[in-house]
Structure formats: structure tokens, C-alpha cells
Amino acid sequence: MAGLDMIRSYLSESEDSDTQDDSKINRDKISSSAKNLLQRFSVPESILSLKGTKHHEDVHDDPSQHDGRTRTFKHERGNWATLVYINYPDYSPICSWLRELPQQIGIKEVLNFFTEFHLSLTRCLVLKFHWIESFVDSLQKLCQSTGEILVEFRDLKVYCNEERTRTFLGLRCEDRNKILKQFVINIDKILAEYQLPSFYEDASFHVSILWCLGDVKEKLNASLPALNESWNSICAEHFLHSFEVSKINCKIGNKMYTFPLK
Ligand code: AMP
């Protein structure tokens, strides 16, 4: 779960930074009583101001804490990592199929398999705290005016993130009525109000099933014919051709919102 596990790793570090918050509060208390004390001895303001703390604290990104992935945006207090997506709940046949895949892929890179699956409808966004309420409200209204969607699985496709630091194998998805495409256009209109980036111009809807570090697009592409053959037989065996979408999920920080479609 690319966007989603990015939010998780972002959150685990926000928790660290919350602990840092407590020590910062203590530091601030100490520095404010020291300030009072020093003022009594009339120390010049210019010297006192040397002990200022930063308003925003950047948190050091340690890739070893999250399978070598690097963050694509800086952790800053007041920023909330956000993703709008569709949950794909029928994961057990896919998980068992994934266990057989390493032999068919045969690359030296470590393959990381997702155990929960989603279809992203936005990029991983950064929302300011004071935007959350109105953003959630607009998204809810949009969902209330959008009918249910039937998503069909197509072939497997290889994707890279924009920084080319991770490669993903995804199940390409389409909906015959093109509701999904219009829905994303409407989400993009909401995002534009906050000057947030829209979804990919050449949007290719997919459910990622595995990822590995680096840009190994070419190597994975070489395995695609065999992988597609294998996927087609699993699809037929477990009737995995399509799934109905009746609700949309939105994860903002550690909060999950679920909006039913019309
Ligand atoms: P996801 O599983 O939805 O997080 O997507 C995995 C990766 O696919 C993301 O890092 C996206 O940047 C990447 N990606 C590359 N090209 C596209 C595209 N045309 N449409 C959607 N996602 C894309």
C-alpha cells in the first residue's frame, strides 16, 4: 500500500515528534523561567533571543525505519498526509497468489508484498490542519452525488513513483462507464481550491500488489507476459474480474473517513 504506508510511516514519526513536543514544552517552560530570572538581572534582549526555538521542526527522515523508503515530502507540524482511495477488500486469493510470485519474477531486488489493497484516487497529499473540515465536507458532498462504480481488473502493469525510488506491480483497473475518471476530475477540482496537486494527467487506475526499491521497471516488464498469464488463471479460478465500489475512503493523518456513494 504505497500511499497508505507512506502515511503510516509519516505518522509513526509524528508520534516521535509528539514526544519531542513534550520535551519541547518542558524546554520552553525552563527557558521561560530562565528568561524571567535573567530579565531581573537585566540581560540584554539580544542575548536572550539567541535561545529561540524553531516554529516548525523538520523531522530527520530515517529510511532504515521503513524498509528503505525515503519520504517524498518533509514532515512538518500542521501538515497532514492525506490519501483518497477505494478499498479492495477481497484480498485473500491475491495474497495466496502473491506467495507463488517470487519464482516467476526472478529478480535480485527484495520484493515487498502488500497485505491490504487499495486503488488511489489522489496522490499522497499534504493538507493543512485548518483545511481538513471543509475538505472532508466537499468530498462527502461529491460522494453523495456520485453513483456506485463497477471496477474491472485488467492486466498487470509496472509503475514507478515520481522520484523513481520505488517500483510497483499493479493490477490495472477500469470502469466501463468512466465514472471513476469523472470522479477524479471532480476531486481534482476540490484539490485546486487548496492549490493541491491533481491526480496524474495520464491517470492509470490500479491496485498495487508488490513493490521494491529503486527503478526496476525494465526488469519487471520482462516478467510481465508470464505474470499476466498467471494472473489470468487466478482471476478465472476465483472470479476476481471486477468489484463493486459503494464507498470511498479518505485517510487524513491517523483519521479514516468513509463516505458512501449515492
Ligand atoms: P499507489 O499504489 O496508488 O500508491 O501507486 C503506486 C505508484 O504508482 C505511485 O507512487 C504513483 O506515483 C505511481 N504512478 C506512476 N504513474 C502513474 C499513473 N499514470 N497513474 C497512477 N499512478 C501512477
Side-chain angles (χ1 to χ4, degrees), residues 2 124 183:
C124 194
F183 187 61

Side-chain angles (χ1 to χ4, degrees), residues 2-3 118 120 159-162 168 199-200 202-206 208:
H118 75 281
S120 299
Y159 300 84
C160 252
N161 63 350
E162 281 169 302
F168 301 81
F199 201 48
Y200 303 86
D202 58 340
S204 167
F205 298 115
H206 64 274
S208 288

Side-chain angles (χ1 to χ4, degrees), residues 86-93 115-118 243-245 247:
I86 292 169
N87 205 28
Y88 176 65
D90 193 11
Y91 45 78
S92 47
T115 50
E116 294 166 57
F117 303 97
H118 75 281
F243 63 103
E244 274 172 19
V245 179
K247 59 183 196 298

Side-chain angles (χ1 to χ4, degrees), residues 127-138 194 252 257:
L127 239 66
K128 298 278 176 207
F129 178 75
H130 57 280
W131 295 345
I132 296 175
E133 205 181 317
S134 59
F135 176 78
V136 165
D137 192 48
S138 305
Y194 303 88
I252 305 180
Y257 299 84

Side-chain angles (χ1 to χ4, degrees), residues 107-126:
I107 60 170
K108 68 171 175 29
E109 281 77 8
V110 176
L111 301 172
N112 303 277
F113 300 96
F114 291 111
T115 50
E116 294 166 57
F117 303 97
H118 75 281
L119 189 165
S120 299
L121 300 175
T122 63
R123 295 169 192 254
C124 194
L125 306 162
V126 182

Side-chain angles (χ1 to χ4, degrees), residues 92 143 170 184 188 241:
S92 47
C143 292
V184 166
D188 284 346
H241 304 279

Side-chain angles (χ1 to χ4, degrees), residues 138-156:
S138 305
L139 192 59
Q140 183 170 29
K141 286 191 180 119
L142 175 62
C143 292
Q144 283 163 351
S145 62
T146 305
E148 292 192 349
I149 307 167
L150 183 74
V151 174
E152 295 177 7
F153 282 125
R154 296 284 183 253
D155 52 346
L156 287 156

